[in-house]
């Protein structure tokens, strides 16, 4: 999955941008539920704590943006999530958008994510595969035609103006099937990487007030060393 994300992200970086990938050391094969998202959020926070000092921006490359707001609260550099980036980009290209997803179970959590960003009224539909996934890294190869058909149905039957091909397993698919879709198709990785570069250009700084100001320093127990230092502002 990391290789798949990197391949798409590399197509969206500028010549002067340096891209590094980091894979969570623990978690589930792919996130499909609220509980799995919580695990992914902690894993993302742990990895970010280890490496953030070397970078100008962070991209959370998992649909649903696990841990995004927590990272923004504690990180001194911009943090972009692929879901939020894709949703905001979709709103700039049409009135209503549909999400094409890899499983039926994932729909409830995705709807909650869209609602949390205040965009529930612009969600035309979520269309999802209804067959068990044989291999998470080969969804595009095994289900490519079915995913294209779901996108077409979202346009014809649900009134979608824009399609979001959701999730890291679909990284790169929007680019490869763009000429087969009747409306724009967006890739969350692409949107997030482009926006992360823009945020770095803007020179966003960590706020000293408001709900995203740095949390207060406090003792902690049982956390990895890098996370302990981040929480303790060491």
């Amino acid at each position: 999955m990391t290789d798949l994300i990197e391949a798409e992200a590399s197509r969206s970086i500028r010549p002067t941008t340096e891209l590094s990938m980091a894979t969570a050391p623990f978690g589930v094969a792919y996130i499909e539920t609220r509980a799995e998202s919580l695990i992914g959020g902690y894993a993302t926070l742990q990895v970010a704590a280890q490496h953030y000092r070397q970078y100008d921006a962070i991209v959370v490359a998992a649909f649903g943006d696990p841990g995004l707001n927590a990272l923004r609260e504690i990180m001194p550099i911009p943090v972009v999530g692929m879901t939020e980036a894709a949703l905001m980009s979709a709103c700039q290209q049409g009135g209503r958008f549909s999400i094409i997803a890899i499983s039926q179970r994932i729909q409830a959590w995705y709807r909650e994510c869209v609602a949390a960003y205040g965009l529930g009224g612009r969600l035309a539909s979520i269309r999802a595969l209804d067959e068990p996934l044989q291999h998470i890294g080969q969804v595009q190869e095994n289900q490519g035609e079915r995913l294209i058909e779901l996108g077409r149905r979202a346009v014809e039957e649900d009134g979608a103006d824009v399609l979001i091909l959701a999730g890291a397993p679909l990284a790169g698919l929007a680019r490869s099937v763009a000429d087969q879709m009747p409306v724009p198709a967006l890739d969350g990785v692409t949107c997030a990487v482009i926006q992360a570069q823009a945020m770095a250009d803007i020179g966003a700084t960590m706020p000293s007030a408001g709900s995203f100001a740095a949390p207060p320093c406090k003792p902690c127990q049982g956390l990895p060393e890098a996370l302990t230092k981040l929480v303790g502002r060491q």
Side-chain angles (χ1 to χ4, degrees), residues 145-216:
E145 289 300 321
R146 178 61 177 152
L147 290 163
I148 293 171
E149 178 60 25
L150 290 175
R152 290 173 177 160
R153 288 179 59 189
V155 175
E156 296 168 3
E157 300 176 19
D158 307 328
D161 300 314
V162 185
L163 299 173
I164 297 173
L165 304 188
L170 303 187
L173 183 62
R175 190 185 299 271
S176 65
V177 303
D179 60 348
Q180 302 178 57
M181 294 298 192
V183 300
L186 299 180
D187 185 307
V189 172
T190 302
C191 296
V193 169
I194 291 172
Q195 291 185 22
Q197 291 172 115
M199 292 296 291
D201 289 346
I202 291 171
T205 57
M206 195 169 189
S208 58
S211 66
F212 282 88

Side-chain angles (χ1 to χ4, degrees), residues 4 9 16 23 25 38 42 70 81 90 96 130 136 154 171 186 209 220-221 228:
L4 187 65
T16 55
T23 304
L38 187 62
Y42 177 64
R96 303 176 74 215
D130 54 8
I136 190 60
L186 299 180
C220 51
Q221 182 175 343
T228 297

Side-chain angles (χ1 to χ4, degrees), residues 12-233:
S12 303
I13 61 173
R14 304 168 186 160
T16 55
T17 298
E18 296 182 13
L19 175 70
S20 297
M21 309 299 294
T23 304
F26 59 86
V28 298
Y30 60 98
I31 298 173
E32 199 173 19
T33 68
R34 304 172 188 90
E36 293 165 358
S37 175
L38 187 62
I39 295 169
Y42 177 64
T44 302
L45 187 61
Q46 180 174 319
V47 171
Q50 292 173 331
H51 302 291
Y52 77 94
R53 298 179 191 276
Q54 307 170 47
Y55 301 101
D56 300 305
I58 295 170
V59 170
V60 179
F63 211 81
D65 299 341
L68 178 61
N69 282 337
L71 282 162
R72 281 187 177 153
E73 185 179 57
I74 203 168
M75 285 290 159
I77 58 176
V79 185
V80 178
M82 61 185 288
T83 306
E84 185 182 38
L87 294 176
M88 299 305 171
S89 297
C91 289
Q92 293 177 314
Q93 298 190 49
R96 303 176 74 215
F97 56 85
S98 285
I99 296 173
I100 308 303
I102 61 174
S103 82
Q104 294 290 322
R105 178 62 190 270
I106 218 166
Q107 291 195 51
W109 174 46
Y110 277 5
R111 288 185 186 280
E112 291 173 6
C113 291
V114 173
Y117 287 125
L119 296 173
R122 298 184 71 169
L123 176 64
S125 64
I126 299 178
R127 295 271 183 169
L129 297 172
D130 54 8
E131 301 174 9
L133 300 181
Q134 298 176 355
H135 191 292
I136 190 60
Q138 298 176 356
V139 177
Q140 297 185 41
E141 293 86 345
N142 297 337
Q143 299 284 354
E145 289 300 321
R146 178 61 177 152
L147 290 163
I148 293 171
E149 178 60 25
L150 290 175
R152 290 173 177 160
R153 288 179 59 189
V155 175
E156 296 168 3
E157 300 176 19
D158 307 328
D161 300 314
V162 185
L163 299 173
I164 297 173
L165 304 188
L170 303 187
L173 183 62
R175 190 185 299 271
S176 65
V177 303
D179 60 348
Q180 302 178 57
M181 294 298 192
V183 300
L186 299 180
D187 185 307
V189 172
T190 302
C191 296
V193 169
I194 291 172
Q195 291 185 22
Q197 291 172 115
M199 292 296 291
D201 289 346
I202 291 171
T205 57
M206 195 169 189
S208 58
S211 66
F212 282 88
C217 299
K218 62 186 63 173
C220 51
Q221 182 175 343
L223 297 178
E225 181 180 359
L227 198 50
T228 297
K229 290 182 177 179
L230 182 62
V231 173
R233 299 292 184 277

